[in-house]
Amino acid sequence: MSEQSHEYKVDALIAEDIDAYLSKHQHKTMLRFITCGSVDDGKSTLIGRLLYDSKMIFEDQLASLTKDSKAVGTQGQEIDFALLVDGLAAEREQGITIDVAYRFFATDKRKFIVADTPGHEQYTRNMVTGASTADLAVILIDARQGVLTQTRRHSYIVNMLGIPNVVLAVNKMDLVGSSEERFDEIVAEYRAFADQIGIKEFTAIPISGLRGDNIVDRSVAMDWYKGPTLMAHLETVPLSDRGAANRPFRMPVQWVNRPNLDFRGFSGTITSGTVHPGDGVRVLPSGKTSTVKSIVTYNGDLDSGVAGQAVTITLNDEIDCSRGNVLSVADNPPEVADQFETTLIWMDESEMLPGRPYILQIGTQSVTATITEPKYEVNVNTTEQLAARTLKLNAIGVCNISTDRPIVFESYDDDRTMGGFILIDRMTNATVAAGLVHFALRRSQNIHWQAVDIDRNAHALQKGQKAKVVWFTGLSGSGKSTIANLVEKKLHSMGRHSFLLDGDNVRHGLNRDLGFTDADRVENIRRVGEVARLMTDAGLIVMTAFISPFKAERQMVRDLMEEGEFVEVFVNTSLETAESRDVKGLYKKARAGDLKNFTGIDSPYEKPEKAEITVNTDEMTAEEAAEMIVDRLLAM
Amino acid sequence: MQKLLQLNHQETKKAAMALDDRQLTHLQRLEAESIQIMREVVATSTNPVMLYSVGKDSACMLHLAKKAFYPSPPPFPLLHVDTTWKFQAMYALRDKAAADAGMQLLVHHNPEAVEKGINPFDHGSLHTDMWKTDGLKQALSAYGFDAAFGGARRDEEKSRAKERVFSFRSANHRWDPKSQRPELWSQYNARKAKGESIRVFPLSNWTELDIWQYIQLEKIEIVPLYFAAPRPVVERDGMLIMVDDDRFPLRDGETPEMKSIRFRTLGCYPLTGAVESEAATLSEVIQEMLLTTTSERQGRAIDHDSAASMEKKKQEGYF
């Protein structure tokens, strides 16, 4: 039980001298923090309590809270504070937190934004969303349970994302008889884990969210605890901007501001350092230099711009600079590279596919990137490094990434904005992963493209033809290989130089090491795509016959080729027809469950939407289809 | 005016000096965040628009847009999805604010609601559904906007507290609260398929007090109805309703009385409850807000239906 009444005192200044209060409030700093920990450790209750005790809950909200508590609450006739923050209907029904909720309160010392993050493993991505912007993390532990799997998972993520302050709030102390021994035991257990993952410091506080002990008011029952209450700690913990102010000047350009021909400014938010008119700056990745003419804002030009400010900078020279470039201090620019070691947190239902191109967004840059197989996956419960071929939903692993053009970056440890990135699926546009850049791989600077004298045009010209990749895609048994074979025969008889890459044949040699999982299918197509490209460099007309079930990979191969060189041929057959043909007896095996991941049965086929040529083998013979394809090819 | 600018400039200088302490205040951090969000939208969408409802939050959002793109005018139009039942003073400020900002103002009236004469007195919740929810969807589809700024704040209401800054909508404008995109750091994924759109909330992390304080510091013009003055009202179902024009059907025994009132939130005048107040200056309004014991949305009829009413409305396309 608490010494004082529950109400956090309203600042007396509000009533006495509002202008003085406002002037004081105006200069308050802001602390963003998260609450995390296992399900039922009482995160939502704690936030409800903080809001209630700091008088941020109004009468009408309290009235509806009291009503809801009786109807769906878990505290009998008592107020269920969790209902204040669990705002979605599904959350209230199930009594769990699904998505991160943001709450706001202020005391006479500070203003706070708190993100209440879900504990369930399946909603880890929402926890990561809340944690990415936090200055402090309150990790809750149920005093009866001690350190649990989710406590470890969340601590690992908190440390990985570089949240500078950690509070260990040992909750539900009232249920363990307010025992000091139990508290010490849990702190010791947590310290052992914290040491293991690299959390150097944390502040441990024994609390009861339900009863309000050591939240705002000191607990009488736990008079053995001499440290600060949770609120007192939140109000006084030193704010760190992770040293942004003291690092060199950087500003990713968001938007080029051109109201008229006489003004050309670069708008963006300064991520680190300070900039003044007259300072020498460099535009990256081009490396061109100039000096700052002015720092423009709506309220007038500034004498200096500092980290965190959104400004518009004009330069003294007309140099090339656009969205995605980074303005930096001239003599200490950030690195530029196209291969990196990174940590990835996978956040999508469909697993990571090494080799598949994703969109990578970092700062204001957006490029295409491919991921290698993970070097290892981290078991966040034990910090053990596991071998892995892919990353599934909520998995964390270390992978190399290569981008299709060089990007400007900082290591995540130095700069969240220029070192933190997201990966986006090119088809669904979903954010599938978050990543942290560790460092650039020197490899990218050591492998140079060998220039050759006889170039691809010379090769094609000698053969008197235009190089092409004719990419047959369709279900197993649709007739791809048969038709491709006929097409090649026809081209050959017409004196064309061609080559047929057949799916089955390639799997006997080049791709012998690959199976039929989604990840292996992607790698299969990537290799075939690269081989086909080398053949087009040699001036050949390449025919390929692969099921190639995923749009993303067909797009990847298309992107490898020159404009107009890639001809997608969709061999369209209904599953029934293909299955009734079953030339190789594969459908029968798949139906019997003897063959896993079979396209059309238990693995999807994504139909092309804009194939250059579509043939329907339900309606035409293989010979007719081949003739039609040759006619169309020669007309291209 | 010149003097005002001068003053403003001096304040900025002072602010810039304070910045050498290298600690931005919470309002400066919020302002920078909102500006970054707005620039991101303009750089990544093809046809953005700003939803403008003439309230104090809209006023702040418009002011932030002016700052974000200065010296250019904000490179998108303002869209007012009108119900024809707003306060007269709101229409007056709406037209002036758009002209001052040098922006195009689009006003949309749901033609079906016009034809059926939908009004808050006879049609209950149909009034909001048709004028606002349907009207908004019609306007967004008709103009082909792929990104729309809204002035909603997370401190307003429980389902808003859960919404992302970049909130994704399907081609038929639906919100799926259970599968929101993760949103890390200040990295926003604005990618969408054709027909899909994004609602963007640059004021997500502002509170009511932040808005008021910003209005005071930046001297932003707001509708005078926020300040107390003697106005004609009737008391109905426990709410004080201002009789703003002669379309107001008085019930038997109702006579408008002059009372000193003001509004904490503005909407359709027959649906917006006033509070009795003497607060005639910004400082007094803020003081009253800080000492009050009810939340600002209490004055709005829309939220009272059920605990999950706002979430449901938002899923259906309400802003």
Side-chain angles (χ1 to χ4, degrees):
Chain A
M1 281 291 143
S2 309
E3 282 170 3
Q4 299 150 26
S5 77
H6 277 320
E7 255 125 86
Y8 201 70
K9 295 272 178 310
V10 178
D11 205 314
L13 259 186
I14 295 174
E16 287 157 16
D17 185 350
I18 183 67
D19 290 318
Y21 171 83
L22 288 176
S23 150
K24 200 171 133 197
H25 183 73
Q26 190 193 325
H27 295 102
K28 281 176 192 168
T29 51
M30 181 158 83
L31 179 81
R32 298 183 72 136
F33 71 99
I34 57 167
T35 55
C36 55
S38 208
V39 184
D40 295 331
D41 281 353
K43 295 179 296 297
S44 301
T45 307
L46 174 68
I47 293 185
R49 173 59 73 177
L50 282 170
L51 296 176
Y52 183 71
D53 284 358
S54 58
K55 240 196 152 258
M56 298 306 285
I57 297 173
F58 294 113
E59 269 174 14
D60 56 324
Q61 291 171 328
L62 196 60
S64 84
L65 178 66
T66 312
K67 198 179 85 196
D68 290 354
S69 295
K70 287 184 182 140
V72 289
T74 54
Q75 300 300 328
Q77 291 303 299
E78 301 277 310
I79 292 177
D80 184 354
F81 288 107
L83 293 177
L84 269 177
V85 273
D86 287 339
L88 300 175
E91 295 178 321
R92 296 162 76 89
E93 280 160 18
Q94 301 173 48
I96 56 165
T97 307
I98 293 175
D99 212 328
V100 52
Y102 297 89
R103 293 282 152 180
F104 307 82
F105 63 98
T107 66
D108 55 359
K109 298 202 178 60
R110 237 176 215 171
K111 185 190 144 94
F112 300 94
I113 300 181
V114 51
D116 179 26
T117 65
H120 284 85
E121 177 168 356
Q122 67 187 112
Y123 305 122
T124 298
R125 58 185 173 189
N126 296 333
M127 183 261 168
V128 171
T129 291
S132 71
T133 51
D135 307 307
L136 178 145
V138 178
I139 295 171
L140 273 125
I141 287 191
D142 183 331
R144 295 167 305 174
Q145 309 279 341
V147 178
L148 297 178
T149 307
Q150 282 165 11
T151 324
R152 295 199 188 93
R153 160 170 287 274
H154 286 176
S155 300
Y156 190 90
I157 293 173
V158 160
N159 185 57
M160 183 179 80
L161 290 174
I163 300 178
N165 303 290
V166 175
V167 173
L168 183 75
V170 182
N171 194 18
K172 306 193 185 179
M173 285 299 291
D174 51 319
L175 300 180
V176 294
S178 303
S179 155
E180 185 176 7
E181 288 72 32
R182 181 65 187 139
F183 176 71
D184 289 344
E185 197 176 283
I186 290 171
V187 172
E189 187 188 359
Y190 187 78
R191 190 176 306 281
F193 179 70
D195 284 346
Q196 206 183 339
I197 61 172
I199 294 179
K200 289 183 198 77
E201 279 179 82
F202 62 89
T203 305
I205 306 175
I207 63 166
S208 164
L210 201 62
R211 301 219 311 219
D213 284 14
N214 285 337
I215 308 291
V216 169
D217 303 326
R218 298 200 69 83
S219 163
V220 175
M222 291 181 279
D223 54 0
W224 45 266
Y225 173 72
K226 304 294 179 214
T229 62
L230 179 60
M231 185 71 96
H233 181 70
L234 295 175
E235 280 179 328
T236 53
V237 63
L239 279 174
S240 111
D241 62 352
R242 301 164 134 231
N246 297 319
R247 283 199 309 275
F249 164 69
R250 312 271 185 255
M251 188 190 87
V253 175
Q254 271 189 294
W255 186 69
V256 180
N257 196 336
R258 292 221 73 171
N260 54 57
L261 291 176
D262 302 325
F263 186 95
R264 182 158 166 267
F266 306 102
S267 299
T269 300
I270 301 171
T271 56
S272 64
T274 311
V275 64
H276 310 88
D279 285 359
V281 289
R282 190 178 292 271
V283 178
L284 292 158
S286 75
K288 297 223 169 63
T289 56
S290 181
T291 50
V292 173
K293 186 174 169 192
S294 57
I295 304 165
V296 179
T297 76
Y298 181 85
N299 300 85
D301 289 0
L302 302 182
D303 299 332
S304 72
V306 300
Q309 275 185 306
V311 295
T312 296
I313 289 178
T314 62
L315 303 178
N316 283 315
D317 307 276
E318 282 271 326
I319 55 174
D320 221 23
C321 182
S322 57
R323 176 175 168 85
N325 292 160
V326 174
L327 276 179
S328 137
V329 60
D331 55 10
N332 191 357
E335 266 189 274
V336 177
D338 61 1
Q339 291 191 39
F340 311 89
E341 186 192 273
T342 67
T343 294
L344 288 185
I345 312 165
W346 201 258
M347 304 193 293
D348 201 59
E349 310 287 340
S350 21
E351 63 182 28
M352 169 186 119
L353 294 177
R356 168 178 284 193
Y358 294 96
I359 293 160
L360 182 149
Q361 240 179 251
I362 183 166
T364 60
Q365 305 167 93
S366 182
V367 298
T368 302
T370 51
I371 316 164
T372 60
E373 254 179 33
K375 292 182 168 174
Y376 57 86
E377 183 184 334
V378 179
N379 177 336
V380 296
N381 305 326
T382 60
T383 70
E384 213 180 341
Q385 297 181 359
L386 310 170
R389 300 204 68 177
T390 177
L391 295 177
K392 293 200 164 65
L393 179 65
N394 297 322
I396 295 171
V398 171
C399 305
N400 287 350
I401 283 196
S402 68
T403 55
D404 66 341
R405 61 203 142 91
I407 55 175
V408 190
F409 73 99
E410 295 275 4
S411 116
Y412 181 83
D413 285 344
D414 289 338
D415 187 331
R416 283 197 228 196
T417 313
M418 289 186 54
F421 61 88
I422 55 172
L423 294 177
I424 300 170
D425 184 280
R426 297 204 304 177
M427 295 297 157
T428 64
N429 292 321
T431 303
V432 293
L436 321 173
V437 174
H438 301 167
F439 49 78
L441 301 170
R442 297 299 153 204
R443 203 164 57 197
S444 56
Q445 280 139 39
N446 297 334
I447 302 176
H448 294 279
W449 193 254
Q450 181 64 46
V452 288
D453 291 332
I454 309 295
D455 66 4
R456 61 198 325 276
N457 280 332
H459 283 123
L461 214 60
Q462 191 192 38
K463 298 179 179 65
Q465 62 185 28
K466 279 188 236 162
K468 287 220 176 322
V469 174
V470 186
W471 190 276
F472 290 83
T473 170
L475 294 172
S476 174
S478 60
K480 296 180 300 296
S481 296
T482 312
I483 299 172
N485 202 32
L486 286 170
V487 169
E488 188 176 31
K489 275 211 268 189
K490 289 178 193 292
L491 289 174
H492 187 75
S493 68
M494 295 159 98
R496 307 286 164 153
H497 300 263
S498 62
F499 193 84
L500 173 61
L501 280 169
D502 183 79
D504 287 346
N505 297 351
V506 170
R507 280 187 178 276
H508 284 298
L510 176 65
N511 292 350
R512 191 170 50 194
D513 57 328
L514 299 177
F516 290 88
T517 62
D518 284 357
D520 281 354
R521 282 169 186 271
V522 171
E523 177 60 14
N524 183 41
I525 297 305
R526 189 191 70 80
R527 292 187 197 172
V528 170
E530 291 288 352
V531 170
R533 187 171 77 152
L534 287 172
M535 289 186 166
T536 59
D537 282 351
L540 296 176
I541 299 174
V542 188
M543 247 86 41
T544 68
F546 294 86
I547 299 173
S548 45
F550 304 130
K551 272 190 224 165
E553 279 63 57
R554 297 193 300 262
Q555 183 65 40
M556 165 176 78
V557 181
R558 184 185 289 270
D559 292 346
L560 283 175
M561 310 300 162
E562 303 279 310
E563 184 77 31
E565 234 172 52
F566 186 84
V567 180
E568 191 170 15
V569 178
F570 177 30
V571 183
N572 193 0
T573 307
S574 61
L575 183 63
E576 294 73 53
T577 311
E579 195 167 350
S580 69
R581 290 180 190 149
D582 206 5
V583 213
K584 300 167 195 162
L586 297 175
Y587 281 98
K588 200 181 277 170
K589 278 194 204 166
R591 287 287 184 203
D594 297 337
L595 198 56
K596 291 280 169 223
N597 301 322
F598 195 73
T599 302
I601 308 294
D602 58 349
S603 181
Y605 179 78
E606 299 169 6
K607 286 187 181 174
E609 272 151 19
K610 282 180 227 143
E612 275 76 7
I613 303 174
T614 299
V615 293
N616 190 329
T617 60
D618 281 338
E619 290 161 9
M620 55 174 95
T621 65
E623 184 62 36
E624 287 166 350
E627 222 156 273
M628 173 185 150
I629 293 166
V630 171
D631 286 349
R632 295 279 298 277
L633 275 181
L634 294 179
M636 280 178 187
Chain B
M1 190 65 204
Q2 195 56 41
K3 208 171 163 191
L4 239 173
L5 273 176
Q6 201 77 38
L7 248 172
N8 236 330
H9 190 64
Q10 271 175 12
E11 273 167 28
T12 312
K13 283 257 164 122
K14 256 193 273 167
M17 276 166 61
L19 282 178
D20 282 341
D21 300 334
R22 295 185 165 165
Q23 190 89 272
L24 300 185
T25 67
H26 70 275
L27 280 177
Q28 287 167 326
R29 275 177 76 176
L30 289 170
E31 180 190 74
E33 179 183 77
S34 301
I35 288 176
Q36 192 248 344
I37 291 165
M38 290 184 177
R39 288 171 172 171
E40 211 50 25
V41 171
V42 163
T44 56
S45 62
T46 47
N47 193 13
V49 67
M50 180 169 279
L51 273 288
Y52 181 71
S53 70
V54 214
K56 64 182 193 309
D57 303 292
S58 278
C60 264
M61 184 166 62
L62 175 58
H63 185 77
L64 285 162
K66 290 198 242 176
K67 288 192 142 188
F69 302 101
Y70 177 85
S72 297
F76 40 77
L78 293 172
L79 170 64
H80 183 218
V81 179
D82 189 24
T83 65
T84 71
W85 289 94
K86 303 289 170 188
F87 292 90
Q88 295 310 310
M90 291 172 74
Y91 293 116
L93 181 67
R94 176 190 73 186
D95 298 345
K96 179 175 181 295
D100 287 352
M103 294 165 78
Q104 187 191 4
L105 172 70
L106 307 168
V107 178
H108 180 79
H109 295 123
N110 177 356
E112 207 187 327
V114 175
E115 192 192 320
K116 294 201 169 128
I118 299 295
N119 67 71
F121 302 106
D122 304 323
H123 302 103
S125 68
L126 203 58
H127 173 75
T128 307
D129 290 348
M130 288 189 68
W131 284 113
K132 292 175 85 173
T133 309
D134 295 347
L136 176 64
K137 289 194 265 190
Q138 286 166 356
L140 293 178
S141 298
Y143 291 103
F145 294 122
D146 63 342
F149 293 107
R153 309 186 319 264
R154 285 172 173 157
D155 78 327
E156 277 178 88
E157 188 269 335
K158 273 188 291 243
S159 73
R160 289 225 196 275
K162 297 258 166 179
E163 195 161 3
R164 301 279 189 262
V165 174
F166 277 50
S167 188
F168 188 78
R169 298 300 148 104
S170 68
N172 35 23
H173 305 286
R174 287 190 74 91
W175 178 54
D176 181 1
K178 276 192 267 183
S179 64
Q180 300 195 80
R181 288 177 179 173
E183 196 167 81
L184 286 98
W185 307 292
S186 49
Q187 199 61 247
Y188 301 103
N189 174 0
R191 293 187 184 260
K192 54 209 169 286
K194 208 166 183 281
E196 295 168 341
S197 60
I198 290 183
R199 309 269 172 99
V200 182
F201 304 104
L203 303 180
S204 285
N205 289 326
W206 294 61
T207 63
E208 188 181 9
L209 176 58
D210 296 331
I211 296 284
W212 281 118
Q213 201 156 22
Y214 194 67
I215 287 170
Q216 188 175 42
L217 285 172
E218 296 281 317
K219 303 179 173 58
I220 300 170
E221 186 173 4
I222 53 172
V223 183
L225 294 165
Y226 285 113
F227 303 107
R231 297 184 174 105
V233 288
V234 296
E235 194 176 331
R236 195 179 268 189
D237 307 326
M239 291 210 295
L240 284 176
I241 306 289
M242 176 173 158
V243 183
D244 195 47
D245 61 34
D246 52 18
R247 291 180 295 174
F248 192 98
L250 290 172
R251 290 180 190 160
D252 284 346
E254 274 182 350
T255 3
E257 258 183 279
M258 292 303 277
K259 280 189 175 161
S260 180
I261 56 151
R262 64 178 198 89
F263 295 87
R264 294 180 63 188
T265 171
L266 293 175
C268 292
Y269 83 81
L271 296 175
T272 309
V275 289
E276 286 194 72
S277 166
E278 301 294 332
T281 67
L282 265 174
S283 294
E284 287 165 4
V285 166
I286 298 173
Q287 183 175 38
E288 204 173 84
M289 184 208 86
L290 289 173
L291 295 174
T292 189
T293 53
T294 54
S295 69
E296 87 190 294
R297 293 198 79 89
Q298 196 219 13
R300 289 194 196 175
I302 182 169
D303 291 350
H304 289 317
D305 305 349
S306 73
S309 76
M310 183 61 85
E311 182 184 345
K312 196 165 146 282
K313 283 198 158 56
K314 278 154 62 77
Q315 284 185 29
E316 288 159 1
Y318 182 75
F319 220 86

